[in-house]
Amino acid sequence: MGLFGNSPRAARSSTSTPRGECPQCWRHAHDPAAHRGLRGDCPQCVDHMVNGHPGINRR
């Protein structure tokens, strides 16, 4: 594993969600455009924090 992006984690883009991860959470965590222009909390992220992930642990 090197310092110049040849680790498995650095090789993943925001469009390739790892197995077992929530696609929305992954995109919002790794894609700067997901929250660009927001003033305050992201409604989708707040919904996930309160209600869980759709299809996984939804209350």
Side-chain angles (χ1 to χ4, degrees):
M1 307 274 180
L3 298 173
F4 300 106
N6 42 344
S7 71
R9 179 168 271 204
R12 289 204 172 107
S13 70
S14 62
T15 58
S16 61
T17 307
R19 194 172 69 186
E21 295 287 340
C22 170
Q24 179 179 318
C25 289
W26 183 261
R27 183 176 149 310
H28 281 231
H30 298 279
D31 182 5
H35 295 120
R36 188 170 292 138
L38 278 179
R39 291 179 177 248
D41 293 329
C42 171
Q44 292 127 346
C45 290
V46 171
D47 180 61
H48 271 200
M49 288 187 282
V50 172
N51 297 313
H53 302 278
I56 299 173
N57 61 351
R58 201 72 163 165
R59 288 183 191 173

